[in-house]
Amino acid sequence: MATSTKKSPENGQSSAASVPASPVSGNRIVTLDEFIIRAEKDFDYATGELTGLLRDIGVAAKIINREVNKAGLVNIIGVANSGENQSGEMQQKLDVYANEKLIECLKNSGECCAIASEENEDIIQVPPIGSKASNYVVMFDPLDGSSNIDVNVSVGTIFAIYRRKSDPSGPATKEDFLQAGTKQVAAGYVLYGTSTLLVYTTGRGVNGFTLDPSIGEFCLSHRNMRIPENGSTYSVNQGYYSKFDLEMRRYIDNCSDQNYGLRYIGSMVSDIHRILIQGGIFLYPSTRKYPKGKLRLLYECNPLSFIVEQAGGKAMNTQLKRVLEVTPSELHQRSTVAIGSPAMVDELKAFIERYSALPL
Ligand code: AHG
Ligand code: MN
Ligand code: MN
């Protein structure tokens, strides 16, 4: 049984990737709600807000899951009328639906004071319910890999929770969102795959919950997830090979020389989930089209880096900086990224150091 260390909410992260001592009892079913309520008791200063937020996200995930599962039966696949989102990318109908449901669930409870979404240009204020001012902000990618929906391939929802920096008596500000990933209090993802899985961390290890459709509950299924130290697959859009920098091309050549398998779903959350379970490395380096990388620091790279690190993995950008230590300057900032088994990220780092023309 893992140990638990009491912490203040400011100190959401620790290097000890352990399951809180209390949540799991024998072999009986432990629901997500039960797990987070018990885990909350390990925080000295817990107010229940974080617990409420995680529960809100769990509810939104079930609603999104219901709609994702019937895509094809009802008229919900395909491009939305809105056309493009703020990043100039095609918005799918389910992107819009998932975004609306998450915002609605979070607004209903008033457990956060503001929201930032990949699908919205600006932050969204959440009016307090009664006199209660919330201390948290939430950011998310409502549907990751959404171009896969029409072809029945797994998609996901990614989220991150931070404590606000601004005075709780006033509105939240952009600065509340422009915090380094190390300040995340919680992060997680929901994978709408062969089964629906919610994986999250509050900085004390990573746990996964599978949705049991017969009872409509997420049940603990992946306890204290640990990423393998090494892997035998790499995950990158190799179609862009000729657009990658030299060091990245040399690294990919090496993967091929070593007979690593190539696995790329095109849905980051699905690729990262596989890597978390089986080991491997996920890469999205700079290309000519996306010189700073394609993936969004706040909505994709930070939460997934936090989870992978908490499971014992590593996450850096191709400038060799730890992703979680980058201070963002824009809500929709993009980042290059390399995430995965620690030995594979270290191997890539050695290649970049060796072949990069950049002063290091
Ligand atoms: P989103 O659907 O939220 O826009 O994210 C898509 C992302 C990510 O999930 C995936 O790994 C990547 O885009 C795929 O990009 P390429 O098609 O350029 O490989
Ligand atoms: Mn995405
Ligand atoms: Mn998305």
Side-chain angles (χ1 to χ4, degrees):
M1 177 70 74
T3 53
S4 68
T5 312
K6 297 251 180 190
K7 291 179 189 72
S8 78
E10 320 290 339
N11 184 14
Q13 299 179 37
S14 86
S15 54
S18 61
V19 186
S22 44
V24 182
S25 334
N27 285 328
R28 75 176 182 82
I29 290 171
V30 178
T31 66
L32 174 66
D33 282 1
E34 192 182 347
F35 186 91
I36 54 188
I37 288 167
R38 290 197 190 186
E40 185 200 349
K41 294 191 179 126
D42 291 333
F43 283 95
D44 275 342
Y45 308 101
T47 58
E49 280 175 88
L50 184 58
T51 305
L53 280 176
L54 291 167
R55 288 170 66 172
D56 292 344
I57 292 167
V59 171
K62 287 186 212 173
I63 298 171
I64 297 166
N65 179 62
R66 189 185 59 196
E67 219 58 22
V68 167
N69 278 341
K70 61 185 188 202
L73 287 175
V74 293
N75 185 26
I76 193 140
I77 55 176
V79 174
N81 288 336
S82 49
E84 294 181 348
N85 68 8
Q86 56 67 42
S87 296
E89 288 156 352
M90 292 313 288
Q91 219 172 13
Q92 306 291 316
K93 287 180 193 164
L94 273 171
D95 282 324
V96 177
Y97 181 85
N99 197 38
E100 281 172 4
K101 290 300 155 197
L102 275 158
I103 294 170
E104 202 175 293
C105 286
L106 290 166
K107 276 189 167 173
N108 279 347
S109 74
E111 301 283 13
C112 67
C113 61
I115 296 164
S117 163
E118 181 193 82
E119 301 297 338
N120 294 81
E121 189 165 354
D122 293 316
I123 65 170
I124 301 161
Q125 299 286 344
V126 176
I129 309 260
S131 56
K132 196 176 125 199
S134 170
N135 288 310
Y136 293 98
V137 296
V138 180
M139 39 197 118
F140 49 76
D141 175 352
L143 216 52
D144 177 63
S146 56
S147 63
N148 285 314
I149 295 165
D150 293 4
V151 291
N152 244 357
V153 171
S154 303
V155 291
T157 294
I158 311 172
F159 63 91
I161 302 173
Y162 292 72
R163 279 180 76 79
R164 70 185 293 181
K165 289 169 81 183
S166 57
D167 186 339
S169 62
T173 64
K174 223 182 236 184
E175 279 57 50
D176 293 324
F177 293 89
L178 299 179
Q179 301 191 54
T182 49
K183 300 286 183 193
Q184 287 172 99
V185 173
Y189 62 80
V190 185
L191 181 60
Y192 311 101
T194 43
S195 57
T196 300
L197 196 73
L198 187 151
V199 172
Y200 85 97
T201 182
T202 53
R204 291 174 299 155
V206 182
N207 291 284
F209 301 79
T210 302
L211 183 63
D212 180 341
S214 66
I215 57 170
E217 294 280 0
F218 283 104
C219 301
L220 182 62
S221 52
H222 296 63
R223 189 172 155 181
N224 197 16
M225 296 170 81
R226 303 296 296 165
I227 190 169
E229 171 69 23
N230 215 331
S232 57
T233 61
Y234 67 110
S235 187
V236 65
N237 191 334
Q238 201 154 328
Y240 304 146
Y241 180 87
S242 64
K243 289 135 188 122
F244 293 151
D245 293 334
L246 174 72
E247 60 273 19
M248 201 52 64
R249 281 184 271 137
R250 289 294 86 87
Y251 175 74
I252 290 171
D253 295 343
N254 177 65
C255 288
S256 180
D257 291 347
Q258 295 200 49
N259 286 326
Y260 292 165
L262 170 61
R263 297 281 182 279
Y264 190 71
I265 298 171
S267 161
M268 185 189 192
V269 71
S270 312
D271 281 313
I272 293 291
H273 181 68
R274 183 194 58 252
I275 289 168
L276 205 52
I277 307 265
Q278 296 185 341
I281 188 167
F282 176 89
L283 304 164
Y284 208 112
S286 58
T287 60
R288 265 174 238 154
K289 185 173 176 194
Y290 295 111
K292 294 179 177 167
K294 177 189 178 188
L295 299 169
R296 273 107 337 179
L297 178 62
L298 269 57
Y299 315 112
E300 292 162 325
C301 300
N302 270 338
L304 295 176
S305 297
F306 185 23
I307 293 165
V308 168
E309 282 198 6
Q310 280 293 313
K314 289 192 175 177
M316 64 177 190
N317 61 27
T318 53
Q319 289 75 48
L320 308 184
K321 190 171 168 96
R322 187 177 166 219
V323 171
L324 296 182
E325 289 177 8
V326 175
T327 304
S329 53
E330 290 168 39
L331 284 179
H332 297 282
Q333 185 166 330
R334 296 180 191 266
S335 170
T336 55
V337 75
I339 309 186
S341 292
M344 293 188 83
V345 175
D346 286 343
E347 187 181 31
L348 170 65
K349 183 168 183 272
F351 267 83
I352 295 179
E353 281 168 344
R354 192 154 145 212
Y355 288 102
S356 173
L358 291 172
L360 296 170

